[in-house]
Amino acid sequence: MRFLNITNYYYNSYPNIFFLVDYYKQCVIKIKNNINNYFENKQEKGLVENNIFLLGEHIIFSLLGFMFFSTEEWLWDITMTWEHHLNLNIIVYYILYTTRYLVQIQMLTGKEKDYQSMMTHHISTVLLLTLSFFHYHRIGVVIALSHDVGDLLLLPAKLCHKFYETRKISILNTLSYAYFIAFLIIFFLTRICLNSEIILHIIDTFFYVTGNFQLYNPNIYSEGYVLFFLLFVNLGLQIFWQIMIIKFAYNLMITGKPKDEKDNEYFKKEQ
């Protein structure tokens, strides 16, 4: 009965998702404009507001996630993430997280250098969240939280570097190096190692039940197969981005300057 009440709550809330997405989008635009208006330096206007907003967004969602789930045993034990038990915390977190990514999809202009990979990632994330809601919501929470943690280090690195370029404060350059090195380590652990561990656990648990590989397993819900495919897509994107990060790090060691072609093009365009 409790499960049915929670399910009905989710479905009754769904018509309001479109209103929530529109409201969230308007808030994003307003906050970014306020951040942009704060800077008087023309080189910084239109350049840093997105990273500042994203940093705040990641902080809020990380705190929200850990506030809701840090005491849950299944968050720290991968063998328990395949059990399902819906509660209000999961419903609220899922609705807000899905809204966040739907707004990000709407705000992609097509002019971004990594537009295709970002669009693929955002769409697969929304599909993953939707399909995992009823029976695989625990793994959805783990993936969402692990993704936010890494970006908490990348965005400060980018901001420190941008402010170093415009204000020539040497400590900011040092901080950008430190944040980036920490991000490189956390990205590998949360995006590559954790995702790989999840996929290997899926294969071992669901497809090698009898000791031999079998594609069909009656214990897998119908949406599970699509969900598992999306996990592979997500891992592929993370590996692609890890390669890009390694190339960035290599350029950093060779030239001594943390340059990102996409950011540099955007920086020059806004001057």
Side-chain angles (χ1 to χ4, degrees):
M1 180 63 67
R2 183 182 179 186
F3 175 81
L4 290 176
N5 289 337
I6 292 175
T7 303
N8 289 334
Y9 175 85
Y10 179 77
Y11 275 122
N12 290 334
S13 299
Y14 223 74
N16 297 322
I17 287 289
F18 297 104
F19 169 77
L20 185 60
V21 169
D22 184 65
Y23 178 76
Y24 190 90
K25 182 179 179 180
Q26 296 304 317
C27 288
V28 169
I29 294 173
K30 184 176 181 179
I31 293 171
K32 284 187 176 182
N33 287 336
N34 288 337
I35 295 173
N36 191 39
N37 292 335
Y38 175 79
F39 295 96
E40 297 180 356
N41 190 329
K42 291 183 179 180
Q43 293 180 328
E44 295 171 353
K45 280 184 174 292
L47 180 63
V48 299
E49 89 285 348
N50 188 55
N51 287 328
I52 292 176
F53 172 80
L54 288 176
L55 177 59
E57 190 177 52
H58 282 294
I59 291 174
I60 291 173
F61 273 87
S62 295
L63 291 175
L64 183 67
F66 282 109
M67 181 180 70
F68 280 168
F69 311 115
S70 61
T71 59
E72 300 286 352
E73 189 177 354
W74 52 263
L75 185 66
W76 315 102
D77 185 356
I78 193 173
T79 62
M80 299 178 65
T81 54
W82 309 108
E83 303 170 10
H84 53 275
H85 179 69
L86 273 175
N87 56 48
L88 186 60
N89 285 348
I90 290 175
I91 292 174
V92 171
Y93 186 76
Y94 258 67
I95 290 176
L96 291 176
Y97 212 92
T98 303
T99 299
R100 169 188 174 187
Y101 269 89
L102 287 173
V103 170
Q104 289 187 15
I105 289 173
Q106 290 184 9
M107 298 193 72
L108 288 174
T109 63
K111 298 178 181 179
E112 297 84 358
K113 184 180 178 181
D114 55 353
Y115 171 78
Q116 292 183 344
S117 61
M118 291 299 294
M119 180 62 77
T120 301
H121 174 264
H122 291 352
I123 291 176
S124 65
T125 299
V126 171
L127 290 175
L128 189 150
L129 289 169
T130 303
L131 293 172
S132 67
F133 177 74
F134 288 108
H135 302 119
Y136 303 100
H137 40 261
R138 290 182 175 180
I139 197 62
V141 170
V142 172
I143 293 291
L145 271 175
S146 65
H147 279 42
D148 278 332
V149 169
D151 287 338
L152 287 177
L153 296 168
L154 173 62
L155 293 166
K158 295 175 71 173
L159 284 169
C160 286
H161 175 55
K162 292 177 189 302
F163 284 127
Y164 167 71
E165 284 189 330
T166 57
R167 305 192 181 191
K168 304 303 180 183
I169 302 175
S170 59
I171 187 63
L172 294 177
N173 191 37
T174 303
L175 284 173
S176 70
Y177 276 76
Y179 276 122
F180 180 75
I181 293 171
F183 162 73
L184 188 62
I185 297 171
I186 296 299
F187 187 96
F188 179 75
L189 293 176
T190 58
R191 304 279 186 113
I192 306 298
C193 294
L194 180 60
N195 282 1
S196 298
E197 184 181 358
I198 290 170
I199 289 175
L200 289 175
H201 183 75
I202 290 173
I203 295 173
D204 184 59
T205 303
F206 294 107
F207 299 108
Y208 276 95
V209 179
T210 61
N212 297 316
F213 180 80
Q214 57 181 37
L215 185 61
Y216 174 74
N217 185 329
N219 295 320
I220 300 177
Y221 293 95
S222 57
E223 72 272 19
Y225 289 96
V226 181
L227 175 66
F228 299 158
F229 170 75
L230 291 173
L231 288 174
F232 275 99
V233 172
N234 183 60
L235 178 60
L237 286 171
Q238 307 310 321
I239 293 174
F240 170 76
W241 283 327
Q242 181 73 72
I243 293 172
M244 295 298 101
I245 293 169
I246 292 173
K247 289 174 64 176
F248 178 91
Y250 175 78
N251 182 70
L252 180 66
M253 289 185 294
I254 297 300
T255 65
K257 296 181 180 180
K259 292 184 178 180
D260 184 299
E261 291 181 4
K262 179 184 66 176
D263 289 343
N264 280 349
E265 288 175 2
Y266 185 49
F267 181 81
K268 292 175 181 177
K269 179 180 68 174
E270 297 292 339
Q271 286 186 5

